[in-house]
Amino acid sequence: MVLRQSLTLTLLASALIAAPVNAVENSLAGQEKIDKSAAASQKKINNLVDQTTSDFEKYRVAAQRLESLTIFNKQMAKLVESQKSEIVSINQQINDIDSIETGALPLMLKMTTTLGDIIAADVPFLLNDRKERFENLTILIDQANVSAGEKYRRIMEAYQIEMEFGRTIEAYRDVLVTNDNSEPRTVDFLRIGRVGLYYQTLDGSESGRWDSERNAWEMLNSSHRNSIRDGLRIARKQMPPELLTLPVNAPAL
């Protein structure tokens, strides 16, 4: 009887001791389960945060691109409108070309003919160059592949060159052909505007001038030899300008 009670007390004590141990183990197991669940939840949260951050960054980039595209489209729209206006202007100019050329061609033909008349009636200086320039213009006028603007520019350029001759002094070397059937000679020419054209042989032994009234070369006496020589030096910038005493062609009234 006593032995049975002692055994019962021992079992009861063992049960009382085992109960807290089991409770702790159960508590630890539960805590471990909670921790695992919390870790899984935190991982999900981290993944959601990463995904949200990535989505936000994509949205920000997309918003910036949208803003850039909006500005670009507005600029392109302005450019398209400008090009449309330019196309209208070009088409109008193309339509006007025929009427412009129709009105300008007779004027250019007249100007070219007048230029040839001027050269023919003028003092005969640099005739080869001037005649060649005139002949090139007559050829240019008939070329269909040259624009009216280019033809007009070349004509005005030739007129500008002729105008410059009237207010410059020039010395050049060329062949002299006189009216007395003498042999052509290489001489130095002195041009003073359009009022005087003189020559002097290379050895300085003979000097002359163009007589516009007679349309012929006239030999000058030795008193003008030094003036022509000095004029040649002045034109070549070999000496400073000074007063020259030379006969000139009187302008026609």
Side-chain angles (χ1 to χ4, degrees):
M1 179 84 177
V2 175
L3 181 58
R4 188 177 294 174
Q5 289 178 347
S6 297
L7 183 58
T8 301
L9 290 173
T10 300
L11 292 173
L12 179 61
S14 299
L16 291 174
I17 293 171
V21 174
N22 291 335
V24 170
E25 291 178 352
N26 292 335
S27 177
L28 291 175
Q31 184 63 43
E32 183 179 359
K33 186 176 181 180
I34 293 172
D35 290 342
K36 289 181 178 180
S37 178
S41 298
Q42 186 63 44
K43 186 176 181 180
K44 291 180 180 179
I45 292 172
N46 292 340
N47 291 337
L48 289 173
V49 170
D50 292 342
Q51 185 64 40
T52 302
T53 302
S54 176
D55 291 343
F56 177 76
E57 182 64 22
K58 291 179 180 178
Y59 169 77
R60 187 180 65 81
V61 172
Q64 290 179 346
R65 291 187 61 186
L66 176 61
E67 182 180 2
S68 299
L69 288 173
T70 301
I71 296 173
F72 177 77
N73 288 337
K74 288 182 179 179
Q75 187 63 31
M76 289 301 296
K78 293 180 181 179
L79 181 61
V80 169
E81 289 299 321
S82 175
Q83 289 178 339
K84 287 181 180 179
S85 300
E86 186 68 18
I87 290 172
V88 172
S89 175
I90 292 174
N91 288 334
Q92 184 62 43
Q93 293 176 31
I94 292 174
N95 293 332
D96 292 342
I97 285 177
D98 291 339
S99 60
I100 291 174
E101 290 193 356
T102 300
L105 185 58
L107 174 62
M108 290 189 291
L109 287 172
K110 183 177 180 180
M111 292 176 67
T112 304
T113 301
T114 301
L115 182 64
D117 294 340
I118 291 173
I119 294 172
D122 200 7
V123 178
F125 60 88
L126 298 173
L127 277 181
N128 291 335
D129 293 343
R130 297 165 72 196
K131 286 181 178 179
E132 182 180 2
R133 188 179 301 112
F134 165 72
E135 290 170 359
N136 288 338
L137 284 179
T138 59
I139 295 173
L140 184 71
I141 291 294
D142 295 333
Q143 291 181 347
N145 61 337
V146 181
S147 67
E150 176 63 15
K151 292 176 182 178
Y152 184 74
R153 186 191 68 79
R154 294 280 295 276
I155 292 172
M156 293 305 299
E157 183 181 72
Y159 269 88
Q160 184 66 34
I161 293 172
E162 290 294 327
M163 288 176 59
E164 289 296 320
F165 287 142
R167 53 183 180 227
T168 56
I169 180 173
E170 180 181 17
Y172 64 95
R173 185 165 293 182
D174 205 345
V175 176
L176 172 67
V177 179
T178 59
N179 298 1
D180 56 3
N181 296 322
S182 61
E183 288 294 326
R185 294 170 290 168
T186 299
V187 299
D188 288 325
F189 287 95
L190 171 64
R191 178 184 60 79
I192 301 178
R194 277 188 162 86
V195 298
L197 180 62
Y198 312 89
Y199 76 86
Q200 191 169 80
T201 56
L202 301 184
D203 60 3
S205 62
E206 181 184 328
S207 301
R209 77 178 187 102
W210 175 258
D211 186 344
S212 295
E213 293 183 357
R214 295 173 49 241
N215 272 347
W217 291 101
E218 173 189 21
M219 189 179 298
L220 296 176
N221 58 47
S222 59
S223 62
H224 298 295
R225 186 178 304 166
N226 290 339
S227 292
I228 295 176
R229 181 198 62 198
D230 291 344
L232 289 168
R233 291 176 177 175
I234 293 170
R236 291 168 177 155
K237 303 187 185 304
Q238 296 173 347
M239 63 179 293
E242 66 174 42
L243 183 64
L244 301 175
T245 303
L246 290 168
V248 297
N249 296 317
L253 299 178

